Amino acid sequence: MIVRTLADIKASDKNVVSKGWESARLLLKDDGVGYSFHITTIYAGAELPMHYKNHLETVYCISGEGSIEDLATGEIHEIKPGTMYSLNNHDRHILRGKTEMIMACVFNPPVTGREVHDDTGAYPADKAA
Ligand code: 9YT
């Protein structure tokens, strides 16, 4: 069994800080459960173009407000506490934080550690997978 606290992860090198967001990675590939689990903070005013072409990501909004734009359709979905979105088609999107948002995120395959987005908005494929 794995038991961890958000406070401990935030104080460790598993808390990754990037432009417009930071993410406490509570479960990673090495934990061996087949996915990674993160609590991500999207900063107020952040505008984040992303395209996880090597991963599937599902996100649940715990607090805050914002939106996600589906770049394939132009559709914009409001995000508020209780909203879930799943990028089941590796969807290209822009995530916008109207306020600070706290999001629970799952990645399949799991991220391995300290990934941040590349120029295309992706994390690299895990070569060892
Ligand atoms: C919600 C989202 O995609 N945020 C970007 C960071 C990502 N969730 C991560 O690496 O934890």
Side-chain angles (χ1 to χ4, degrees), residues 16 21-25 38-42 48 50 52 57 59 85 87 93 95 103 105 107 111 115-117 123:
V16 175
W21 60 273
E22 63 181 86
S23 192
R25 291 172 171 170
H38 320 180
I39 297 294
T40 298
T41 303
I42 305 295
L48 305 172
M50 291 183 271
Y52 291 121
E57 185 195 28
V59 178
Y85 64 85
L87 304 168
H93 63 286
L95 183 63
M103 324 282 265
C105 315
F107 276 74
V111 305
E115 286 94 338
V116 292
H117 301 103
Y123 293 156

Side-chain angles (χ1 to χ4, degrees), residues 69-82:
E69 179 173 350
D70 181 339
L71 289 174
T73 64
E75 206 172 350
I76 295 176
H77 305 272
E78 299 303 316
I79 297 174
K80 58 185 184 185

